Each structure stands twice: as structure tokens, then as C-alpha cells.
Amino acid sequence: MGQNVLEINDLSVKYKVYEGVLDVIPDLSLYVQEGERVGLVGETGSGKTTVLKASAAILGNTPAIVNKKELKVCGLSIDGIRGKKNVRKNVSMIFQDPSTSLNPTLKIQTQMLDILKSQFPKKSKGFYHEMMMRALKSVSMPAPERVLDSYPIQLSGGMRQRVCISMALMKNTKIIIADEPTTALDVTIEEQILELIDDLVKKEKKSLILVSHALGTVRKITDRLYVMYAGQIVESGLTKDIFDNPHHPYTIGLIDATPKLTGNGIADGIAGDIPSYLNPPKGCRFAPRCPRATQICREQAPVLEKMEGSVDRFVSCHNLEVSEKPVVSSLT
Amino acid sequence: MMSNESIIKVNNLRKEFKTKFGNLIAVDGVNFEIKQGENFGLVGESGSGKSTIGSMIVGSYKPTSGTITFFDEDISKSSKHRSADLKRNIQLVFQDPGGSLNPRKTIREILSVPIELYAGKRLSRKEIDERVQSVLTKVGLPLEYLEKFPRAIGGGEKQLVCVARALAAHPKFIVLDEPTSALDVSMQAKITNRLIELQKSQKLSYLFITHNLCLVRNMCDRLAVMYLGNICEYADTPEFFKNPKHPYTQMLLASVPVVSDEEESLKPVKVKSIGEIPSPLNKPKGCPFHPRCPKKTSICMEETPEMREVSPRHFASCHHI
Amino acid sequence: MLAAYLQKLDSDKTNKNSRIEQFKRNWYKFSRNPMNIIGLIIVAVVIFVTIFAKTLAPHPEDAGLHVDIMNAFSKPTLKNWAGTDEYGRDLFSRIIIGLRPSMGIAIMVLAISVTIGVLLGLVAGYYKGTLIDLLISRITELFMSIPPLILAMVVCTMFSNNYFFAAIGIAVAWWPWYTRITYNLVTSLSNELFIVYTELAGVKMMKIIIREMLPNITSSILTKMTLDTGSIILVASSMSYVGLGVQPPTPSLGSMVSEGIAYLPEFWWLTVMPALAVVVIVMGFNLLGDGLTDVLSVEDK
């Protein structure tokens, strides 16, 4: 640990649409250290995908205006064509829907071979085959020979995701970005896949960014967590600390709204919706939905500040000293 | 409020689909009953046949064999052969709120459909409007939504419109097919709570189909867990979570992602999840769960276990309990 | 009472507003691609010129058998923008007036084939899987396998060689495409949950098709109509090129091209100018159609 493999400083992203300009990400910084497993959690529309696309340098195809960005992958800038190359060399991605990230018209073998050939050009057939078998075995794939000779449609969702993971690993990059890798899978299969990702990341000393909307999923395998709301990081810290003792009212509301095995009903969630990015609230972006909001919240945006006496714990809220659990208002 | 009279009774229900690759047994001899005023959870992963059961209850398909009764009426037939009154009494809310609303119609037009259809007489425009407004108010949406198109409102609100459309028929029973699985947690919490409220105020019974055990824990009175077309365990909710008996149920519970250590301690002793869910096309012989089961013995591969009462009001189908 | 009335007025207004808002949004998407705008302008000009052809043409008398030998074979000049032909008739005027029969044929063909095609498509979709569906589908396929140009030629030679029968001939070959697209749309819509809901609820099938499905297929049909206008003009021009449909001395774009060929290459404008007109018109309709496809398909999502 220690060295930052991914660094995003003061990222700002705006999108131009019919209604005007969407100020999606005003000012965001995050980092991932070597060998660290970091979670990025937020609800639909919180901007987590935008952050992800920015770090993979694939925002170019959208009507996005990326400002004052300083993104570094393994200490290298990601600007321009050279930057894209740096990203490709150091980052591999696992997507939510394994059926769309594999080409349906090509056999698994062909697709894996393409990646291998770019990694290790001009090797013998036997070498490539050996590498593919090793990659599939490393993701505990049953009957790897048969899988190599199959089309994606012949595999189950879990098997396809295993193939995607093995392909991501073949690239031998330092960083793995997993975008909702288990959302499309069943619970018992999700458990297996998460365990697999976790094992491989630990064994190969890679860094993992796990993006998800599901708190429980992130809690399972991450060390550190960023909670995003409306394009901003509202709270970050060690995963265990955040779940044991959430500070930001949004984090608290989110955890409360998650149905629990303990029973006793579900809290009524957080009132209202994510604000429009067209005209976001002037002060804290969470203020219109916040049970703790006071005058200052509506006027002045809070800064993400380190909490005293904590390990890496940052919260952006004006009213942290309100210690008792907030009363979350209901829908009406 | 829950009475002893059963509203839905499912008896030895079976559904096969003929496919190119042979017969797909989606539901394989399922029995359960839902009491009046009860919220019954049907839990399972993909391919378990839980949605097929919901579809048969609302009449999308006719069962291959077995019966479904609504009070004392046999309803094991497709919706074409059902009376208007029966269709009115059993309503359905789909998983995908976006797809279940016509994109070219305003919310007012969408909600008018069941009102006109089930009124039994011709209603004036004013009467329809009044009923549309009252049903929208019931689910807690503001009246200005009436003139909006589905795409102009959020996913959770669309689902509330779907619930309103079901309520507009004044049903006795609603099948909720994964109503919140496409939504964010804070929206899910709102919809779930609104559904519980409505059940009490409108005296409804629910069949709640879901893959989310935590949701069932907080919402349902009783639940059944399905695996590959069979029910493997069936009990009152508190008892079920206290004493899960079936190895599959235990594996499922152990895999559930949770958000606190307290919940972690409620999980059964770690049962490692192994193997894939087989396709219903080549269902394993004997107990359908045996290829993944840590407790399997030779009998599991040959004999399909019967459903037994393992403790009062708690049923499970396993050779080793 | 008054309050209720005011509320109704108000709600009607918001209803209208949300439709206007939707239109504005679509227009924004449409206008972001300059090609769409070019297409729209061409189509608008073509329609305007078709309607006011007689007033707009600088020499309307040249549409007929007017002869002005002194001016024959004049190159494109400021006076005759597209030059003149062997009788000294102004080509620009003839192109403008020649638009009318082309557009007329396009409108007639579309009116006939959309009515028949959509109706049959709905019926086949309604009776999906029955004998009626089978019958309609086979007949549709039969007519689809004959090229429209040939079918139109047959009709013209069998009955009477004029512009009305040319349109009938093209329409006979054109309607199956509308049956096919309607049938496919109805089939895919019937799997949509909002249609499944109405079926389960017990809404009458006729009502489902008219009230729930039709509004969802009109945009696709309209887009196809726009794209087809260009193709029909092309077919009509090809027919008049071989002497079918519009008869001289009435000008038509196809016959002008074929008559001009005799004078190539010296008097190139006799062929190039009307051909260019066909190209620009067809392109205009295609660009507009593509633009509509983009906007409306995104809207459906």
C-alpha cells in the first residue's frame, strides 16, 4: 500500500442537453492506492458512472464538457491519445451485463485469443491455449475446454461473468474497475463471483474499484468506501467505519432504507428525489431532502472535510454535531 | 385482520412449456394457500418458477395440471375464459414499471382504462375523472401527474401509477411480481411501505414475488422458497428466519448481502455457495438441489423428497432434516 | 361547478403543454443534425413549389406544346436557369411543373398503400397464428416478390397508359411493405407489458389495437412514408423514362431525362438538370426520413 494507482483531482463534468447544461459533477477528487479495494456507492443518477467513464477516458463519445481535470493512472496523465493508451495498459473493466460485453457472434476462444495476442504477440498456439486454460481455471470455471469452444449464449449468466473476469485478469493490469458486476446475477451466484473477485485481487495484488448501488454488495469486499450523492462525494472512509457509524444524513438514510434481516419494518427512505442537475441547489445538494437541513445548508455548500481523530474519514455536512438519528420524513 | 379463510389455494400445480430442446418444467407440483388479508412471499432465484406461478394465478397461462382456486371458484384457466368479475378481483403489478405503461398515453388515460372497463355501466367523463383522481390520491401521487406522460416521471412514481391502476379495479387480491427490484433502495422503501399501508386500508391480500429475502423479512406474513420449480421450504416469516431448515434456504440466507454486523450474526452458519443453478430444461433427478447440496447422500439423487411438517406450521422438503 | 370547470380548463392546458414540451424536445434533437435541417428545407420547398407550380414557373406556357425555335438549346443562363430544350422551352419551368405529377403519384400511392397495408397488417396481427394471418402473410409475400416497376408497367399496359394507372400500378406493389411493417410492430408490441396488461384485464382486442397500439405505430409509419416518397418519385421517374405514366406534352422528370439523352453530350443540361432535380428531391426526403427515424426511435425509448 501507499502509492496511489488512480488519482482524480478536481474533476468537473457537465453535459449539454436540450434543456441546458447539466452540472453533473461540480468538483470531485478521489484516489485508489495500490492493492486497495475501494467501493463507490450511490443510487441511480448519482454520477458514479460518469466518474467511472472519466477515469477510463471514455467520455469522449458523449456530449460531455470535462473541465480542469487532473486524472492520473499509475502516475501517468490520461489526457489525449497517449493518455488513452496509458489507461488501456493499466485499467481493465468488468461490466454489469456480461452478455453485452461479450461478442455474441464469436466463440469465447476467439475473443480471449484477441486479448492474448495483443498482450503477447507472436507466440505459439500451444502457448496461447495454455494461457487461456490457466485464465479460466483461475476463475474456477468448470469444464474450461468446453467453455472455450462455446458461444456466449451457451453459457449461464454466472459463467459469462466468470469469462469476463478471466479476460480482465489476462490483461495483467494494476487496476480493475468493476461496474455493478453482480447486479444481473442471482444471490447465490453473486456470492461466488464476489468471493472470486476478492480472492483474485488479493492474490495478484491488484487494486479494485467496485461501483455499485447495493450497499450490502460493497460492504462484502471493500476496504474503503466513497458514498456519492448528486455528483458529489458526501462521505468517505473505511468501509467498516461507515457501516458501523455513518455520519452523513444521506448515508444514514440509505442504510436505514435497506431492508434488513432483523425485520422490524423498513424506514421510509429519504424523502424526495435526486435534484435536477440542470439547476442544482445552491447550498448543499442534499439540503432539500435532508432532515437536518438548516439555513446555512441552503446557502452554502459544505466541504468534504476530514473528521478529527479519524482514519481517512471525510464527511461533507454542516450539521455533524447533531448526533441522534434523524427522523426521516415520509413520502407525503 | 388476517382471517382463516383462504383466498387462493394452489393444489399440485404443474406447468410445462414445450421448447425446441424438450419439455421445460417450470413449475413441478406446487401446493400452498394464501389466507384472506395475508401477504404471502414467494422467493426464488432465476428459473425457480416463481413468476410462472404468478402468471398462472392472473391467467397469462393455463396450468398443465393441478388447480388454482379463488375462494371456492376454480380459476385454473387462462384469462380469456375468466369472468370480468374474476379478472377485476385479481390484479397484477409487473416488475418493469417503464414497460407496463403505454408511452403514448397520459397517466389520466392510463388510469381510465380499468375504471371504464370494470364500471359495469357507462360512466360520464366527470365520474371517470373523479375516480381517477381518488385512486391517484390513494397511492399518494399529486393530481398534476394526471396530465404527464410516463417518461416524464421517475421509476418509483411509475410503479405507484401501476399500483394505482391495479387498485382502480377494486381487487381483492394483487400479484406483485418483483415490484421494487428495478428501483433504488430509498424508492423501494417508499413503495414497500405504501404497499403495506394499502393492504391494510383496502383489505387486500398479496402474493409478493421476489428474489430479495430481506424484503420478504420485513413485508410478508408467510413465505415459500422455491428452487427449480419446487417449493423447498414454507413457514411463517419469523419462524423461517429463526430456523431455516432446508440446505438451499440456508445457502440463500448465508449469501444475502447485508449492511450490519447484527444481521451478519442472524445468518445461519456459513454454507458456502457452490455450483450453478441448472437449467429447468435438464432438471436433476431426485431432489433438484442435490448437485449443489453439502448434505447430499445417495437417496437424494434418486428420490424426490416429500414436503413434511418439520415443526408446527413449518414445512420443508429434504431427506435430511 | 365553476371551480371544476376551471380545473378542467387548467388540466386541458397542461395536457396541451406537455405535448408542446414534447414537440420542442424532439425539435431540439432533430435540429442538432444539420443534415436533418437540409432535408426538411428541401422537402418544404418541394411541397411549396408543387402547390404553386403554375404561379412560380417563370414560363408556365412552356409546360405544353409551346414552341420558341429562336431560343432552342440555350445554355443555362440568367434568363433560363436550367437552359432550354429543342423547342426552346424553359427547362426550369418544365422541371417545376413536372414535379406535380411526380408528387401526385407519390401521394396517391401512399394513400392507397398505407390504407390497405396498415389495415391488413392490423388484421393479420389481430388474428395472429390463425388462417387469416397465414393467408394475409402469404399474399403479402407474393406481392413483395414482384418489383414495383414491373408490376406498374403491367398495370399500365393492361389498362390505360396514364398517370392514374401508373399510381395504381405502383401502389399494388407498394402496400405489402406497410402490411409487413404494421404486422411486425403489432407483433412486437403485443409482447410489451402495457399490452399484456390490457389483455389480462379483458379489454376488447379491437380497442387494444386502436387505442393502445395505433398511437405507438404511427410514428414508424410516418417515417416510412417520408422515406417512401423519395423512392416512389424515383420509380415514377423511371416509368416515365420508359414512356409509361405521364404522357407528353405534360412534362415529367423521367421523360425529360429520356428525351434529353438524344442530345448528349453537347446539350447536357437537357438530361442533367431534370436528373439533378430527381436526385435532390429524393435525397431531401431520405434525409428528412432519417432524421425522423432518429428522433422518434429515441423518443420511444
Side-chain angles (χ1 to χ4, degrees), chain B residues 200-214:
Chain B
K200 284 178 189 143
S201 65
Q202 312 293 312
K203 298 190 176 54
L204 293 163
S205 313
Y206 288 155
L207 173 65
F208 189 78
I209 299 171
T210 182
H211 65 275
N212 189 336
L213 271 175
C214 295

Side-chain angles (χ1 to χ4, degrees), chain C residues 193-212:
Chain C
L193 288 179
F194 62 87
I195 299 294
V196 173
Y197 166 81
T198 49
E199 276 170 12
L200 283 178
V203 179
K204 293 227 167 49
M205 199 63 192
M206 226 34 224
K207 223 176 188 174
I208 295 180
I209 287 184
I210 293 170
R211 289 236 214 132
E212 308 277 339

Side-chain angles (χ1 to χ4, degrees), chain A residues 108-110 112-136 148 170:
Chain A
I108 301 295
Q109 193 163 353
T110 327
M112 292 183 95
L113 215 55
D114 284 346
I115 297 179
L116 276 177
K117 279 185 177 159
S118 66
Q119 286 278 313
F120 310 97
K122 294 188 187 122
K123 289 277 165 67
S124 72
K125 247 187 184 170
F127 172 83
Y128 288 136
H129 188 78
E130 177 64 25
M131 290 290 285
M132 286 191 283
M133 292 297 282
R134 203 186 298 164
L136 286 179
L148 277 182
M170 263 176 8

Side-chain angles (χ1 to χ4, degrees), chain C residues 175-190:
Chain C
W175 65 266
W177 298 100
Y178 284 89
T179 310
R180 176 61 67 89
I181 187 178
T182 310
Y183 180 78
N184 287 346
L185 285 167
V186 168
T187 321
S188 70
L189 271 176
S190 57

